[in-house]
C-alpha cells in the first residue's frame, strides 16, 4: 500500500487508522453475516444493532442526557442552517446570531428568509480574527445561535455564550464537536457535519432537546421536520448507513483515548506545541487573537504572499498535505482535529523550523 502522508485537510479530514482498519475488515462481511456493512438493509437486524450501538456510544461519549434525541441526518450542517429557522423561527419573531465567521454568516443568512435576525455580536470588523467578549441580545430571541469553532478563521469559543433565560442555545459544532468535554444541558440543540471530528461526510449529528422538537412547526415537509426524524429514529427514509457505522467506530476510538477528557488533553498538547513554535517564530505569525485561538484549526501567515506560496509548495513536496489557508484568510491553515496524530505536529514543527532557517 502507498504510504499515508500527513493530512491537514479541513474536512473531510484524517480518520483514526484503527477505524479504517476495522471498517476494511467489515466491507465484504460485517462480522460473520456474509454481507458487507454497506450492503445491509437499514431495517435488518445487523444494521439495527450497529445503529443502536452507535447511538449508545454517542450518548456515553458526549454525556447526552435522556431528554435529548440523537439524530443522524443528511444534508450536512448546511441543511441545518435552514431547518433550524424553518422549525423554530416565525415571521414576527427574532433569532439572535453570534456572527464570528463565514459559517456563522451562512447560518444567519438562511434564518433571514424565515423571520427577523439580530446580530448579538460580530467580529467582521477584524476579518473574524477574534471571539467578541460580550453579546448584546434582543429582548426575547426565539433562539441564540453560535458557531463554537470557526474552521476558516481559526478561532474558537472557550466557553458557551450565556443566552437570555428561556432562549434555547443552538450550536453549530461541526469542527470541534467531541474535542473536549461539553455540558449538553446548556443547549437546546447541537449539530455537526461528521466529516471533521466524527467520521466521513454524508451524515450530520443532531443532538436536540425533546421539548424543542415538540415546539417545531408542524406544516413543513416531512423531511424538514425534526419531529419526523425523532419519531422514526432517523429512519424515516434510508439513513446514511455506512457513515453511521463509521461514527460508531470513531466513538469507540474516542473511548479508547480516555473519552472527551483524554481527547481534550491530547488536543491541548498538540495545538499548544504548534502555537508555541509559531509564537517564537520570526517568520510565521498566527492570525487569530491569543485568547480566541482554535485547538482545531491553526491559521498562520508569513505576511508575504509569495513566501506563503513557497512554503505551501515545499510542504506539499515534503508530504504535508492540505496546509494552504482558506482564500478569505490566505497563508496557511493546519487542521488538527481529534484524529490528527501528535507525531504529525512534531513533524510539521521540524519542517517549519527548517524552512524558516533556510528562507529567513
Ligand atoms: C464544514 C463546516 C460547515 C459545513 O458543513 P457541511 O456538512 O458541508 O454542510 C458548517 N459549519 C462549520 C463550522 C464547518 O466547519
Amino acid at each position: 500500500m502507498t504510504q499515508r502522508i500527513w493530512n491537514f485537510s479541513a474536512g473531510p479530514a484524517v480518520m483514526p487508522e484503527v477505524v479504517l482498519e476495522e471498517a476494511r475488515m467489515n466491507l465484504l462481511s460485517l462480522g460473520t453475516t456474509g454481507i458487507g456493512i454497506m450492503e445491509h438493509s437499514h431495517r435488518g437486524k445487523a444494521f439495527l444493532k450497529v445503529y443502536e450501538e452507535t447511538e449508545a456510544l454517542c450518548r456515553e461519549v458526549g454525556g447526552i442526557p435522556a431528554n435529548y434525541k440523537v439524530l443522524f441526518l443528511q444534508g450536512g450542517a448546511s441543511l441545518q442552517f435552514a431547518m433550524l429557522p424553518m422549525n423554530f423561527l416565525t415571521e414576527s419573531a427574532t433569532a439572535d446570531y453570534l456572527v464570528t465567521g463565514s459559517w456563522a454568516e451562512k447560518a444567519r443568512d438562511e434564518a433571514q428568509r424565515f423571520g427577523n435576525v439580530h446580530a448579538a455580536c460580530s467580529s467582521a470588523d477584524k476579518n473574524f480574527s477574534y471571539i467578541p467578549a460580550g453579546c448584546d441580545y434582543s429582548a426575547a430571541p426565539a433562539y441564540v445561535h453560535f458557531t463554537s469553532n470557526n474552521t476558516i478563521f481559526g478561532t474558537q469559543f472557550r466557553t458557551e455564550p450565556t443566552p437570555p433565560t428561556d432562549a434555547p442555545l443552538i450550536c453549530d459544532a461541526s469542527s470541534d464537536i467531541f474535542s473536549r468535554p461539553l455540558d449538553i444541558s446548556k443547549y437546546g440543540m447541537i449539530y455537526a457535519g461528521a466529516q471533521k471530528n466524527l467520521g466521513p461526510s454524508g451524515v450530520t449529528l443532531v443532538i436536540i432537546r425533546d421539548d424543542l422538537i415538540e415546539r417545531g412547526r408542524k406544516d413543513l415537509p416531512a423531511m424538514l421536520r425534526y419531529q419526523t426524524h425523532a419519531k422514526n429514529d432517523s429512519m424515516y427514509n434510508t439513513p446514511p448507513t455506512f457513515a453511521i457505522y463509521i461514527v460508531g467506530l470513531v466513538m469507540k476510538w474516542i473511548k479508547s483515548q480516555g473519552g472527551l477528557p483524554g481527547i481534550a488533553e491530547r488536543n491541548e498538547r498538540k495545538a499548544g506545541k504548534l502555537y508555541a513554535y509559531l509564537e517564537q517564530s520570526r517568520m510565521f505569525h498566527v492570525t487569530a487573537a491569543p485568547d480566541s485561538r482554535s485547538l482545531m484549526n491553526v491559521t498562520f501567515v508569513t505576511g508575504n504572499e509569495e513566501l506563503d506560496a513557497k512554503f505551501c509548495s515545499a510542504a506539499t513536496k515534503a508530504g504535508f498535505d492540505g496546509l494552504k489557508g482558506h482564500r478569505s484568510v490566505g497563508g496557511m491553515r493546519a487542521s488538527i482535529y481529534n484524529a490528527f496524530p501528535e507525531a504529525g505536529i512534531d513533524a510539521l514543527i521540524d519542517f517549519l523550523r527548517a524552512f524558516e532557517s533556510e528562507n529567513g
Side-chain angles (χ1 to χ4, degrees), residues 179-260:
S179 67
R180 57 187 176 184
L182 82 172
D183 182 355
I184 305 276
S185 69
K186 289 183 177 167
Y187 297 82
M189 171 176 137
I190 306 177
Y191 62 94
Q195 66 272 21
K196 281 122 188 182
N197 250 345
L198 298 175
S201 58
V203 65
T204 308
L205 182 71
V206 176
I207 302 165
I208 179 169
R209 214 172 54 213
D210 290 339
D211 63 291
L212 201 58
I213 298 176
E214 284 314 307
R215 254 189 268 169
R217 196 172 152 163
K218 307 265 190 303
D219 60 354
L220 294 169
M223 282 295 286
L224 297 176
R225 280 156 46 205
Y226 293 104
Q227 288 146 7
T228 305
H229 299 293
K231 213 177 289 167
N232 293 281
D233 291 326
S234 307
M235 294 209 209
Y236 175 74
N237 73 323
T238 315
T241 53
F242 182 68
I244 291 169
Y245 163 72
I246 300 287
V247 170
L249 298 187
V250 171
M251 292 304 117
K252 269 196 235 171
W253 174 78
I254 291 179
K255 271 181 71 176
S256 77
Q257 302 297 302
L260 298 190

Side-chain angles (χ1 to χ4, degrees), residues 76-78 81 103 147 149 151 172 174-175 193 195-196:
S78 299
F81 295 169
W103 294 116
T147 313
N149 184 72
T151 322
D172 172 6
S174 291
S175 53
Q195 66 272 21
K196 281 122 188 182

Side-chain angles (χ1 to χ4, degrees), residues 74-96:
Q74 298 181 66
S78 299
L79 182 58
Q80 294 309 304
F81 295 169
M83 253 176 95
L84 171 68
M86 278 179 154
N87 277 268
F88 304 121
L89 183 58
T90 51
E91 231 171 295
S92 57
T94 299
D96 285 14

Side-chain angles (χ1 to χ4, degrees), residues 43 65 67 114 126 128 156 218 288:
R43 310 271 178 215
N67 62 326
F114 302 98
K126 291 183 182 162
F128 300 118
Q156 185 177 24
K218 307 265 190 303

Side-chain angles (χ1 to χ4, degrees), residues 139-357:
Y143 59 81
V144 172
H145 180 279
F146 80 112
T147 313
S148 50
N149 184 72
N150 298 281
T151 322
I152 291 174
F153 298 95
T155 64
Q156 185 177 24
F157 280 81
R158 289 283 163 274
T159 55
E160 297 87 356
T162 312
T165 344
D166 296 340
L169 182 64
I170 314 284
C171 179
D172 172 6
S174 291
S175 53
D176 72 347
I177 191 158
F178 294 171
S179 67
R180 57 187 176 184
L182 82 172
D183 182 355
I184 305 276
S185 69
K186 289 183 177 167
Y187 297 82
M189 171 176 137
I190 306 177
Y191 62 94
Q195 66 272 21
K196 281 122 188 182
N197 250 345
L198 298 175
S201 58
V203 65
T204 308
L205 182 71
V206 176
I207 302 165
I208 179 169
R209 214 172 54 213
D210 290 339
D211 63 291
L212 201 58
I213 298 176
E214 284 314 307
R215 254 189 268 169
R217 196 172 152 163
K218 307 265 190 303
D219 60 354
L220 294 169
M223 282 295 286
L224 297 176
R225 280 156 46 205
Y226 293 104
Q227 288 146 7
T228 305
H229 299 293
K231 213 177 289 167
N232 293 281
D233 291 326
S234 307
M235 294 209 209
Y236 175 74
N237 73 323
T238 315
T241 53
F242 182 68
I244 291 169
Y245 163 72
I246 300 287
V247 170
L249 298 187
V250 171
M251 292 304 117
K252 269 196 235 171
W253 174 78
I254 291 179
K255 271 181 71 176
S256 77
Q257 302 297 302
L260 298 190
I263 284 283
E265 202 184 301
R266 204 176 101 110
N267 285 333
E268 277 180 33
R269 202 167 59 231
K270 280 158 52 184
K273 279 185 192 178
L274 186 49
Y275 281 121
Y277 175 77
L278 295 169
E279 275 286 298
Q280 58 76 54
S281 165
R282 287 163 166 270
M283 177 179 280
F284 301 104
H285 312 285
V286 178
T287 62
D291 63 356
S292 306
R293 289 175 181 170
S294 167
L295 302 189
M296 300 281 100
N297 310 94
V298 178
T299 49
F300 57 102
V301 295
T302 63
N304 172 336
E305 283 181 24
E306 266 171 47
L307 194 56
D308 288 347
K310 186 177 179 189
F311 174 82
C312 288
S313 83
T316 306
K317 278 195 199 105
F320 300 91
D321 195 76
L323 281 171
K324 191 173 171 359
H326 189 274
R327 62 189 178 281
S328 49
V329 183
M332 282 69 71
R333 169 175 56 172
S335 296
I336 51 172
Y337 302 120
N338 285 352
F340 191 90
E342 191 164 350
I345 306 279
D346 296 336
L348 176 63
I349 292 169
D350 288 346
F351 183 76
L352 285 160
R353 190 179 284 118
F355 184 89
E356 184 166 348
S357 83

